[in-house]
Amino acid sequence: MRQSSLVVVANRLPLDDNAAPDGACEWRRSPGGLAGALHAILEQAPATWVGWAGGVGPAPTLTDIGGLRLRPVSLSADELRGYYEGFANSTLWPLYHDAVQQPVFDRNWWETYRSVNARFAEAAAEVAEHAGVVWVQDYHLQLVPGMLRELRPDLLIGFFMHVPFPPPELYMQLPRRVELLRGMLGADLVGFQREQAAHNVAQLATKLLGAHATDDAITVDGRTVRTGAFPVSIDVAEMRALASRPDVLRQSEQLRHDLGQPKRVLLSVDRLDYTKGIEHRLTAYSELLRAGHVKVRDTVMVQVAVPSRERVESYQDLRDRIEGEVGRINGEFGRVGEPAIHYLNQPFARSQLAALYRTADVMVVTPLRDGMNLVAKEFVAAREDGRGALVLSEFAGAAAELPQAFLVNPHDVDGLKDTLLRAMSADPAELAARMTAMRDHLAGHDIQSWARAYLTALDHTGSLAERLAGDRAPAASVAWHR
Ligand code: ADP
Ligand code: G6P
C-alpha cells in the first residue's frame, strides 16, 4: 500500500462519473464548492484524496491525477440512502443551513452514517504515512477525526467545515449532538468559513461536553483543539485566465447575440438546491415583470441550475416547483422567440461558465444561507473589464468579504426587487469602483492563500503549506479508465 504524507478525506472525489461507451472517461470536475476548491490546490500535489466516486457497488479503479492519488471508498445502495441521501443531506444539510427546509430525523440513518464514517477513517489510516497529515472535509464526515485519532494517534488531523455551523438553538435539535460534536473535536484544528461558527462550537462544547472553550481553542478530554475561521476561495488566476481567453470572449459575444442582444442580462448559477433562494429570486423577478419595471424586450434572465442530489425527495420537489414557476413566468411574460427566463438544468465546462460570467450585467447570488458561495467569487474574478454588478445575499459567507456587492436579504422580496433595480441601473463608474475593490480583495485571498493559512495553522513547521500552495505546474486534463 502506497502511503502519502498528506491525505485529504472528503465525501466526494473531485470527478464526475462521465464514462464513455468504451469505458474511457474524460475526467470532469464535480460541480460544487468543495471539489472545486480542493481540486485547484491538490491536482499537482503529492497527496492522496480519499472519497466516493459516485454510484453504488464496488469502487472503480482510478489512476492518479498528476501527483494526486485517488483512493475510492465504495458505498452500497443502502449506505447511499442512509448515509449520503439520509443523514448527511436530509438531516445535517438542512439543519446546518438555518433549517430553511425542515430537517428529517430518521433513527435508522445514524448507524449507517457511523459505519460509513468508520470506513472513510480506516481508508485514511491505511494511506497516511507515519506522523503524516490528514485533512478531513465537511459535514458528511464529522465523526472521522475522532475515529482516526483512535486508529492512528501519530497523525496530525485537520477538519474543515465548508457549510455553516449552526447556532446552538438549532444544533441542539440533533438527536446525536454529543457524538457528532465529540467526533469533530477529534481533530487538532477545526476550521470554519466564519468566526461565528467557531463561537457556536465553543458554546456547544461548554454546554454539551463540559469543555473549557474560547473561540480559538477548546480543551476537552485532556486535549486542546484549536478552532478558527479560514474563508475558502477560488483559483483566481485560473478564472482570470479563462475569462480573458479570446475564444471565451467570442463565446460571450455569441451568447449575447443568441439572447437577442438585450440591454441587460441577469445571471444566476447554482446547484439546484433549496438553500440557494431560487424560488424567492423567481418571485422577485416575476413581480418586476408584472409591474412593468422590467421588460422582456430589453432584459433577460439566465438561470443555470445544475442537477444535484436528484434522488432526495426534497430536491425532486424543488425541481418540480422551480420548473413549474419558470414555465408559468415564460407563459405569462415571454414572447415568441423571447422567453423571460432561460433555464438551463445542465453541467457546463469551466470555460462556458467563464463566458456566462462575462456576459452578465447583473450576477444574482441570493442564497438563503450559504457557507461561502464560490460562484460570487468566480464572477468577480472573471470581470477583468471592471463591468457588471454583483447582487449578493447577506447570508452567504462571501458577503463578509465582498461588502462592495449590492448586499440583500433574500427573504425580503421587496428589498430584493429594489436591489435588483438599483444594480440594473447603477452608474458604470460606481460599478467599476465596486468591482475594483472586490477584485483587489480576491487577489490577496485566493485558494492557495486559504490552503496556506489553514495548513500553516495546522502544521506549525509550515513545510506542508509551502509544498502544496507554492508555485504549481499548470493544470493538466487527465483521462482515466474504469
Ligand atoms: P455549493 O458549494 O453549494 O455547490 P458554491 O457556489 O460554493 O456552491 O460552488 C459551486 C461550484 O459549482 C462553483 O465552483 C461553480 O462554478 C460550480 N458550478 C455551478 N453550476 C455549475 C454547472 N452548471 N456546471 C458546472 N459547474 C457548476
Ligand atoms: C457543497 C458541500 C460539498 C458538496 C457539494 C456538492 O459544496 O459543502 O461537500 O460536495 O455541495 O454536493 P454533492 O452532494 O453533489 O457532493
Side-chain angles (χ1 to χ4, degrees), residues 303-449:
Q303 171 70 63
V304 176
V306 64
S308 186
R309 306 176 192 165
E310 286 176 287
R311 288 160 39 111
V312 178
E313 203 181 313
S314 52
Y315 286 75
Q316 294 163 358
D317 293 347
L318 176 75
R319 181 169 173 176
D320 289 347
R321 289 199 304 274
I322 286 176
E323 294 185 353
E325 186 60 8
V326 169
R328 197 189 59 70
I329 294 172
N330 280 337
E332 191 174 339
F333 302 105
R335 292 142 59 110
V336 173
E338 288 180 347
I341 300 178
H342 293 256
Y343 171 76
L344 299 158
N345 183 231
Q346 39 189 289
F348 288 106
R350 305 291 303 156
S351 58
Q352 291 173 306
L353 286 175
L356 280 162
Y357 294 143
R358 284 304 289 249
T359 311
D361 297 293
V362 182
M363 183 80 210
V364 190
V365 183
T366 54
L368 303 178
R369 176 59 77 189
D370 213 329
M372 175 51 62
N373 198 290
L374 297 182
V375 164
K377 293 188 172 182
E378 289 171 355
F379 171 69
V380 170
R383 297 314 294 248
E384 201 105 64
D385 59 353
R387 298 174 59 188
L390 174 62
V391 172
L392 179 60
S393 165
E394 292 165 9
F395 299 105
E401 291 181 80
L402 304 174
Q404 301 83 5
F406 290 84
L407 295 180
V408 67
N409 169 7
H411 298 275
D412 170 11
V413 173
D414 289 333
L416 180 50
K417 284 158 60 181
D418 289 346
T419 310
L420 288 173
L421 289 176
R422 264 199 309 129
M424 279 192 252
S425 60
D427 170 55
E430 179 195 341
L431 292 180
R434 288 174 183 255
M435 189 55 85
T436 304
M438 293 192 287
R439 290 176 63 79
D440 285 351
H441 173 81
L442 268 195
H445 296 83
D446 64 358
I447 189 66
Q448 283 81 21
S449 65

Side-chain angles (χ1 to χ4, degrees), residues 1-9 48 50 69 71 121-135 148 152 154-157:
M1 171 61 58
R2 292 188 302 170
Q3 294 189 318
S4 298
S5 56
L6 173 65
V7 176
V8 164
V9 192
T48 299
V50 175
R69 293 176 194 155
R71 163 68 164 85
E122 280 153 22
E126 234 174 72
V127 297
E129 259 176 37
H130 178 74
V133 173
V134 178
W135 192 7
L148 193 54
R152 292 283 306 272
D154 59 300
L155 297 173
L156 194 55
I157 302 171

